Amino acid sequence: MKREHQELLRRLALNDEGALTALLGTSLAATGPGGLDARTAALVRLAALVALESASASYQWCVAGALAAGATDDEVVDVLSVLAPVVGAPRVSSAAPEVALAIGCDLGMPPEPSGA
Amino acid sequence: MGRAVGAEAGTRDLDPARWFGSDVVFEESKLRLPPTHGDPVVRSRLLARLEEAGDVPVLAVAAPPGYGKTSLLRQWSARAEAPVAWLSVGEEDNDPAVLLAYLAAALARASPIDAARFRRRMPPGTPVPVIVAQRVAAALSSTGPVVLVIDGAEELHNDQCRDAVAELAFRLPPTARLAVGSRGTPPLHASRLRARGAVTEVGPDDLAMDPTEARALLAGSGVALPDDELAELVRHTEGWPVALHLAALAHRRQGRLRTPAAPFTGDDRLMADYLRTELLSHVPRGRSAFMIRTSVLDRLSGPLCDAVLGTRRAGRLLQELATDHLVVPLDNRGAWFRHHRLFRDLLRAELAQREPDLEPVLHARAARWCEANGLPEAAIGHAQAAGDVDRVARLVAGRALVAYADGRLGTVDRWFRWLDERGALATHPPAAVLGAVLMALMAQPATAERWAALAEQAPAATTMPDGTPIAGWLALMRGLQCRGGLAQVRRDAGLARVLLPPGSPWCVSAAVAEATSWLLDAEPERADALLAYAVAVGRDVGVGPATAVALAERAIVAIARDDWDDAERLAGRALAAVHDDHVGDHGWAALVHAVVARTAAHRGDVGRARASLAEGTRLRPQLTHAVAFLSVQTLLQLARACLALADAAGARAVLRDADDVLRLRPQLGSLRREADELRATVDTLQVGALGASSLTTAELRLIPLLSTHLSFAEIGERLFVSRHTVKTQAISVYRKLGVSSRSEAVDRAQELGLLGR
């Protein structure tokens, strides 16, 4: 494999904002024109990631962004609670350990991802 | 806070006796090549093979006792065209600070090295193995070619010490070579070294003697055998050199060869049998009993042996044994000796079998003698072996502060945990209170709290080993703990300042704590006066850490009155104090870095401010609720430094840490308000990209381990988390550092100052 392919794939796997922005042509953490603040936008993004059963790196990226934008741990956990009836318990429970880790709480029950 | 290395801190030379407190026994003989007996067999075959292998940086020699590991290392290193630094590891080296001191002393004997870089203290929470390896590697690259031999590495059982040696093997400069001799698995990542072709491994099969070597060995003892008998002996012993040697001794005495009944390759028990039947039985009874019973001693002197055995002329006997090469002299005055290592193990096994009840008695006598003769740390070791918990508690209480001041934190930790495991801290309040204070300063809040609770049970009349009342120490402990808010810190620290022995460096720590509580309660003038006093006294009694904190606090006072010039001057002095006392890796040094960052940012020196902020960020994992008011104050100062650099994400990460401490210590009134105000300020800022300052404490703890050669799974074991957790956090670290691999992350962290300088 070409070296630059390797580097790109690695950066995509890390949920690297620069690489993803270049790929998508728009900032990954863009806020909308309607004035949704950075904190709320990050929480909405987190909800979407849970619904999609995303990779560990995506959760870490998203939650770190939410916390940096001023979201509290409680708010992050709330996202899971309000999502459960909509996306179903399995998605929420698979996201829970990852989200916990992202807010600095190691539940000690890793969902060992395939190919880790 | 706490005591610095003491008044001797200014000593920059590498005289090992002065490395630690002057009364710590520094075993010079560990740095000398062990003596040879007679004319050792030259292992030409093996040496030629090693030579053929070329310039492989690491040599690992691992085999059971008696295979001639040390002889081989000696012969191999003598052939290298470079000075040899030799260290025979001992039990005391299971403290990274002690191991580092001995390695430094060994290197200094081979080649001049810069001592200053070795002296920086290594508090818990810092990547101790990496620091040790870095410092030794740096010294090696400054010396020109050197061969470093670490023999007896099986004595290293401390994980940090083993990791340090393993890490060093990867960091050797091209001019250096490392050889490690060990009875068990050497402390090296052998498979990873092998994959790089960086290690030559020598095992028992390589060390076994062939008939030619066996003949030479026997000839050295004046024994010549016909070819068939020799072949039979070699076959029977499988070439195990010590067995050949013992066979030769037996032959010389009895004029005939007695091969043991069974082959006894490397089996200690069978060898002990052989020792008993073939050697001890031919030594006069008095002598053999003397040797067996003194095997409990690390070092032997006439008076010590007399005290332990109840004899009167041990001194002369030791001289005689030395003449017969049965013990090794440690000095030129004929005062101190030690047993041969291999021999001592056998003698101890013999003692355990013959007189099992005597062992604790002998240790108890040794403890008494060592205590009475100014060897408190040897006394602790013997009292532990004797199971004399009371004596250990008393001695540790009298010695802990010295070891702490030396930076021998691993030793301090080991002593207290030994007492804790035996439930002895509950019945020995002086030890408990010192343990609680030292654990708080070593950022181990849970342990500190548990021991503090035990110390609180002390009867009022309890006195410390120096005869002062325990009340002063209890007050200092409560002041640092600050369970009751700032007013309580002030009250207790003030009390400690009065009750602790005048002139004690700990009075300075108490004064700084008291002054800080004034400052945090909006009484800057009172705080400043007391801080100025602490700085003046601190300089006199040589307490760098407390002085540095006091200067940083004064800088904060100056900022509060908008006198930035004064603040910058004070911050500069605080930083100099941190560097002068080699205490830059302590958590509270973060306060100094925070004020340096703030003053630099105010002057518009963004580069300097960022660098100082990174230094402070690196120390964040140590800012726990162990000394809550200082931790929160430091975190808030770091948050202000982030704000001055318009780093909202960094400020929020720091404020999160502060919240964690405040949750456990909610009564820090003004600090909580200040945290809330800062959070409101951060909310007005736009969050930019997440950079290094937004690393969480878990991620910061991981970074130094990323710089090692440990796998994610191994890192997980050391941090007590799963491999998945390590991997997830590593990915987060890469993203925040803007890199895509572990090696890039390490380079970037180094550039930013997150790995220390």
Side-chain angles (χ1 to χ4, degrees):
Chain A
M1 202 190 331
K2 273 199 209 156
R3 213 185 156 74
E4 45 279 31
H5 288 161
Q6 221 174 20
E7 175 69 13
L8 175 63
L9 290 172
R10 211 188 282 148
R11 293 219 173 234
L12 293 179
L14 294 177
N15 212 96
D16 180 85
E17 281 195 44
L20 288 165
T21 302
L23 200 73
L24 303 169
T26 175
S27 167
L28 194 60
T31 43
L36 198 60
D37 63 82
R39 187 181 120 274
T40 315
L43 294 176
V44 170
R45 237 176 261 126
L46 174 62
L49 291 178
V50 176
L52 290 168
E53 282 193 281
S54 303
S56 173
S58 303
Y59 286 119
Q60 308 307 315
W61 160 78
C62 185
V63 173
L67 296 176
T72 63
D73 293 357
D74 290 346
E75 288 172 328
V76 170
V77 176
D78 267 0
V79 170
L80 293 188
S81 313
V82 301
L83 269 184
V86 183
V87 302
R91 290 207 157 91
V92 168
S93 68
S94 83
E98 300 293 355
V99 171
L101 199 50
I103 60 174
C105 165
D106 190 353
L107 301 181
M109 36 193 296
E112 196 71 32
S114 54
Chain B
M1 281 183 286
R3 241 190 94 187
V5 187
E8 287 293 308
T11 314
R12 293 287 180 270
D13 65 341
L14 257 182
D15 178 356
R18 258 184 269 171
W19 185 283
F20 296 127
S22 52
D23 51 351
V24 172
V25 176
F26 199 101
E27 197 82 68
E28 177 90 31
S29 66
K30 285 166 54 175
L31 307 177
R32 287 196 294 262
L33 271 69
T36 47
H37 323 296
D39 203 5
V41 177
V42 179
R43 312 299 302 264
S44 326
R45 191 171 45 101
L46 206 41
L47 290 168
R49 211 196 86 199
L50 293 176
E51 211 152 286
E52 266 169 41
D55 281 340
V56 181
V58 181
L59 171 63
V61 182
Y67 266 98
K69 297 181 290 293
T70 304
S71 295
L72 176 70
L73 287 170
R74 166 208 288 285
Q75 292 170 16
W76 173 79
S77 59
R79 292 193 169 198
E81 286 159 3
V84 178
W86 186 285
L87 173 62
S88 303
V89 175
E91 169 64 27
E92 64 280 6
D93 292 307
N94 284 296
D95 176 329
V98 177
L99 177 66
L100 182 62
Y102 272 108
L103 286 172
L107 289 175
R109 271 156 183 69
S111 193
I113 58 167
D114 173 15
R117 68 165 69 240
F118 280 90
R119 299 206 56 130
R120 240 167 88 172
R121 306 232 272 156
M122 301 177 285
T126 55
V128 171
V130 180
I131 297 176
V132 173
Q134 266 172 352
R135 292 186 197 168
V136 176
L140 285 168
S141 41
S142 71
T143 55
V146 171
V147 173
L148 174 60
V149 180
I150 301 177
D151 194 23
E154 72 278 356
E155 295 271 344
L156 287 182
H157 46 76
N158 175 292
D159 283 344
Q160 291 194 320
C161 294
R162 292 182 68 86
D163 281 355
V165 174
E167 206 46 47
L168 175 62
F170 288 100
R171 294 173 186 243
L172 294 173
T175 51
R177 301 180 81 180
L178 169 69
V180 179
S182 178
R183 287 184 186 177
T185 314
L188 295 167
H189 298 306
S191 57
R192 260 160 266 168
L193 287 169
R194 220 175 282 139
R196 297 171 178 217
V199 63
T200 313
E201 289 166 281
V202 171
D205 291 348
D206 308 299
L207 286 162
M209 289 188 160
D210 64 13
T212 316
E213 290 170 320
R215 182 183 302 288
L217 184 139
L218 295 181
S221 301
V223 174
L225 292 179
D227 282 354
D228 55 336
E229 274 186 49
L230 183 73
E232 172 66 11
L233 180 64
V234 171
R235 196 184 59 77
H236 214 82
T237 57
E238 296 187 13
W240 188 22
V242 74
L244 289 165
H245 181 70
L246 291 172
L249 289 181
H251 187 280
R252 196 168 56 181
R253 214 168 20 245
Q254 301 167 3
R256 65 185 173 84
L257 187 68
R258 246 206 63 198
T259 47
F264 53 12
T265 44
D267 183 325
D268 288 354
R269 194 166 36 81
L270 290 170
M271 199 164 111
D273 279 348
Y274 197 63
L275 175 86
R276 186 160 48 234
T277 53
E278 295 301 321
L279 202 67
L280 290 177
S281 56
H282 299 283
V283 173
R285 203 177 158 71
R287 268 193 177 197
S288 67
F290 177 87
M291 290 182 66
I292 290 169
R293 290 180 179 174
T294 54
S295 69
V296 299
L297 302 171
D298 293 325
R299 304 161 80 239
L300 316 167
S301 79
L304 171 58
C305 293
D306 280 336
V308 168
L309 303 179
T311 54
R312 287 223 307 260
R313 286 162 22 136
R316 239 181 72 189
L317 188 50
L318 281 169
Q319 299 274 13
E320 288 168 23
L321 291 171
T323 313
D324 291 351
H325 300 292
L326 289 169
V327 294
V328 184
L330 292 176
D331 54 36
N332 300 326
R333 294 171 294 127
W336 286 97
F337 302 85
R338 67 170 170 80
H339 284 293
H340 292 291
R341 273 186 47 214
L342 177 56
F343 226 54
R344 184 180 171 199
D345 294 344
L346 297 169
L347 293 168
R348 291 184 83 154
E350 192 63 21
L351 177 66
Q353 204 186 17
R354 278 195 198 183
E355 304 173 298
D357 301 337
L358 196 56
E359 214 177 321
V361 178
L362 298 173
H363 277 298
R365 290 180 194 154
R368 270 199 299 280
W369 187 89
C370 289
E371 185 180 359
N373 286 275
L375 294 169
E377 301 198 8
I380 290 174
H382 284 300
Q384 286 177 329
D388 186 348
V389 176
D390 291 341
R391 188 183 298 271
V392 175
R394 185 161 44 75
L395 286 165
V396 166
R399 195 64 188 168
L401 296 175
V402 175
Y404 178 78
D406 284 347
R408 287 181 294 137
L409 307 185
T411 306
V412 172
D413 198 67
R414 206 168 56 227
W415 286 342
F416 280 109
R417 290 196 193 280
W418 188 91
L419 288 169
D420 191 31
E421 281 160 17
R422 283 154 188 79
L425 293 175
T427 45
H428 294 86
V433 73
L434 291 177
V437 167
L438 296 181
M439 288 298 146
L441 296 176
M442 286 155 74
Q444 307 203 24
T447 312
E449 272 182 26
R450 199 158 51 77
W451 294 354
L454 298 175
E456 291 286 2
Q457 313 290 324
T462 310
T463 55
M464 300 300 286
D466 64 2
T468 56
I470 195 172
W473 281 98
L474 284 173
L476 180 63
M477 177 190 85
R478 293 181 194 132
L480 295 176
Q481 268 195 313
C482 71
R483 294 178 150 277
L486 293 171
Q488 177 251 311
V489 172
R490 185 154 54 244
R491 205 171 45 241
D492 283 323
L495 196 60
R497 190 157 60 86
V498 181
L499 289 178
L500 288 172
S504 154
W506 296 91
C507 288
V508 181
S509 303
V512 175
E514 186 186 349
T516 305
S517 74
W518 282 119
L519 173 59
L520 296 175
D521 264 353
E523 295 262 15
E525 289 84 17
R526 293 185 82 150
D528 207 34
L530 191 50
L531 288 166
Y533 160 81
V535 172
V537 179
R539 219 179 4 227
D540 282 352
V541 292
V543 267
T547 312
V549 173
L551 286 162
E553 299 282 9
R554 292 200 70 196
I556 295 170
V557 175
I559 292 174
R561 60 168 191 267
D562 216 24
D563 186 348
W564 287 89
D565 289 341
D566 199 29
E568 179 140 27
R569 197 176 47 77
L570 288 162
R573 281 176 63 197
L575 193 60
V578 164
H579 289 155
D580 286 352
D581 276 297
H582 314 286
V583 284
D585 290 315
H586 264 288
W588 44 259
L591 185 70
V592 175
H593 296 303
V595 295
V596 171
R598 286 189 68 193
T599 52
H602 186 264
R603 190 165 26 89
D605 185 347
V606 175
R608 174 78 192 268
R610 287 228 172 89
S612 295
L613 182 58
E615 285 276 339
T617 300
R618 176 172 71 88
L619 302 173
R620 253 172 52 209
Q622 291 185 62
L623 301 174
T624 67
H625 66 282
V627 187
F629 65 97
L630 193 58
S631 292
V632 176
Q633 187 200 22
T634 303
L635 290 165
L636 298 186
Q637 290 295 322
L638 285 170
R640 287 183 187 279
C642 289
L643 286 175
L645 290 164
D647 179 358
R652 283 221 172 84
V654 178
L655 287 171
R656 276 173 64 80
D657 285 359
D659 284 342
D660 287 343
V661 179
L662 284 167
R663 209 168 296 132
L664 292 160
R665 291 281 186 276
Q667 300 192 35
L668 297 174
S670 63
L671 284 168
R672 176 173 285 275
R673 269 195 309 282
E674 192 185 342
D676 291 341
E677 284 161 20
L678 283 170
R679 202 170 295 107
T681 313
V682 182
D683 285 341
T684 64
L685 288 179
Q686 193 76 35
V687 176
L690 300 194
S693 61
S694 68
L695 289 162
T696 66
T697 46
E699 289 157 4
L700 287 166
R701 237 176 257 130
L702 175 63
I703 287 177
L705 288 161
L706 290 177
S707 76
T708 66
H709 293 76
L710 298 169
S711 68
F712 282 174
E714 287 164 337
I715 292 175
E717 282 168 26
R718 278 152 183 82
L719 292 175
F720 304 105
V721 298
S722 73
R723 181 177 161 284
H724 174 72
T725 299
V726 172
K727 189 185 164 211
T728 306
Q729 287 169 346
I731 287 176
S732 213
V733 169
Y734 300 170
R735 196 181 325 105
K736 287 176 183 174
L737 295 180
V739 299
S740 66
S741 71
R742 183 166 168 179
S743 60
E744 286 172 9
V746 172
D747 291 347
R748 185 85 187 106
Q750 189 82 57
E751 274 168 39
L752 292 171
L754 291 171
L755 285 169
R757 290 177 205 281

